[in-house]
Amino acid sequence: MSGLLSLVSVGMYAQIEGLTDNTEYKVEMNGSFANGEVAPFWFSSGQYGLSSVKPNSGYLRAGISRAEETDTLLNWRYGYGVDVAVPVNYTSDFVIQQLYAVVQLQNCRMTVGTRELPEEMLNNELSSGGMTLSRNFRPIPQVRIDLPEWWTWHATGDWISVKGHIAYGIYTDSQWQKNFVKDGAIYTRNSLFHSKAGFVHVGNDEKSPVSATVGLEMACQFGGKGYNIRNRDDAGTLLNGVDLGNGLRDYWDAFIPGGNDVNDGDYENVAGNQTGNWYFDLMYKGKGWKVKAYAEHFFEDHSQLFVQYGWKDMLWGIETEFPKNPFVSSFVAEYLYTKDQTGGIYHDSNGTLPVQISGKDNYYNHHVYGAWQHWGQNIGNPLLLSPIYNDGVLSSRFNRVNAIHIGVEGSPMESLHYRLMFSNLRTLGTYDNPTPAPIDQNYFLAELTYRPSWMKGWTGKVAFGMNSGGLVDRSSGFELTITKTGILF
């Protein structure tokens, strides 16, 4: 008996010891200082929501994590992370940025908790951001099952690969929404989140330098409770504390868009704030370099899911990775157009005019959930200005835009890395609230990262940012970030 107990004890100890192998720690300090009313745009955007629009802000951050890739040679892999921040001049006084556990069997992974999730198909350093899911918002706690790497279908001669995910979660910004909105403005509490995506890649690097990918991403906000919702049948009625659907059927309606919202009246659509985009790319790989042309077409509900109205609103991009050199390693150029939105007329069919005209899509906005946002930041592309810039209203007030975005990065030395981003946009507001004249805006970021070889684990980053134009207040400033990482176990 004692021998058996000894074996069990040794086995348990070995398992626990394995779960702590290559556990890393990270400690970080950040401060940004600007001379305008708001922070430079790219200080606040594309930071996984750990940022502030106030001109002077900062945080202290600490965490530990174990990447599941540590167990690459095993069928079962395990990972976890804890990442917290104490900020100044943020939307919260304490932020649990990440708190998650990961279990992975071969190429099938399940993540439970709050985790920063990079964009699956776009350049996470240089792109302006995906149309449906970007790196612009604070992570939403969720249960997510995915194929993190391409799964190759060997029966096709390794020419076809697939990847994707499905997830359900819950928003954490209920109290912030209530405090942010002005009296009578809509907001929700404890609303739910769902996302899914599937991509098919056609190509074989060993046989052809050309490949292509097509995919579909969809996400929605549903359930919870709604406040200050106007009833369509009685414009003077405000619905408060209304159950927006939290049963099993509502989870199904989020997965396959269906059902209806509580105030749809006679004109039922689908339940929740349903969003999504089609994705396409064509890539050529040379020796040590590649170039990829890509496009995303955004849609809400059903109106632009297919091509019956024409696809005018698109995010077009080109990404190039150059052969190793000390000047430029990657380049991204994007053109974003969202002015069409299926046209400026919406009309439900009725006895007088039995014709359905599905226009005025009003991207990122919803008559129950306010905006496609979390903690005030767009879940999608930040160039459609986030609600955090508004005065007490959850809405995307400038969603009809055309924009040019450029990003460049490189490493002049092994220890030195730079990143440059510039965005120029023109907006017309929305169809319901157009601007008196087109508004132009520019955003600029120059960032330098230094990792001294003589100070292992230390990183220093300094950035200069600037806003100019008539949409966001003019400002310019600097941001400093100091990071220390290392192996804890």
Side-chain angles (χ1 to χ4, degrees), residues 422-479:
F422 173 76
S423 308
N424 168 264
L425 68 86
R426 171 170 287 190
T427 181
L428 298 175
T430 66
Y431 276 122
D432 288 332
N433 294 288
T435 59
I439 299 176
D440 293 299
Q441 184 69 36
N442 297 308
Y443 306 121
F444 175 73
L445 174 74
E447 182 182 88
L448 198 62
T449 302
Y450 181 51
R451 297 181 176 89
S453 58
W454 48 275
M455 295 180 66
K456 186 177 180 180
W458 287 90
T459 300
K461 182 188 300 182
V462 62
F464 171 77
M466 182 172 63
N467 304 332
S468 65
L471 181 61
V472 174
D473 289 332
R474 291 176 176 268
S475 68
S476 59
F478 289 90
E479 183 176 48

Side-chain angles (χ1 to χ4, degrees), residues 342-398:
T342 330
I345 299 175
Y346 177 86
H347 191 280
D348 287 297
S349 59
N350 55 35
T352 305
L353 182 62
V355 177
Q356 174 72 29
I357 303 174
S358 297
K360 295 177 67 176
D361 283 346
N362 205 7
Y363 292 166
Y364 294 176
N365 290 323
H366 194 265
H367 61 101
V368 173
Y369 292 94
W372 184 233
Q373 63 82 41
H374 191 224
W375 286 91
Q377 295 279 17
N378 284 350
I379 295 177
N381 192 291
L383 294 179
L384 282 65
L385 200 64
S386 296
I388 193 70
Y389 290 93
N390 295 345
D391 183 17
V393 179
L394 286 174
S395 68
S396 179
R397 296 171 51 223
F398 302 96

Side-chain angles (χ1 to χ4, degrees), residues 267-333:
Y267 306 109
E268 292 186 0
N269 195 356
V270 294
N273 189 6
Q274 294 275 356
T275 66
N277 67 264
W278 290 96
Y279 174 86
F280 309 90
D281 76 35
L282 182 64
M283 181 163 58
Y284 183 92
K285 285 187 176 181
K287 292 185 178 180
W289 66 278
K290 72 176 184 180
V291 60
K292 180 176 74 171
Y294 58 90
E296 287 191 352
H297 167 67
F298 184 72
F299 60 85
E300 291 189 334
D301 298 333
H302 298 144
S303 64
Q304 292 250 20
L305 176 59
F306 301 110
V307 295
Q308 68 268 38
Y309 297 103
W311 287 1
K312 298 180 180 179
D313 293 335
M314 302 285 289
L315 172 69
W316 300 94
I318 185 167
E319 176 185 354
T320 303
E321 292 185 9
F322 297 95
K324 188 174 182 180
N325 68 86
F327 305 106
V328 178
S329 59
S330 300
F331 170 82
V332 167

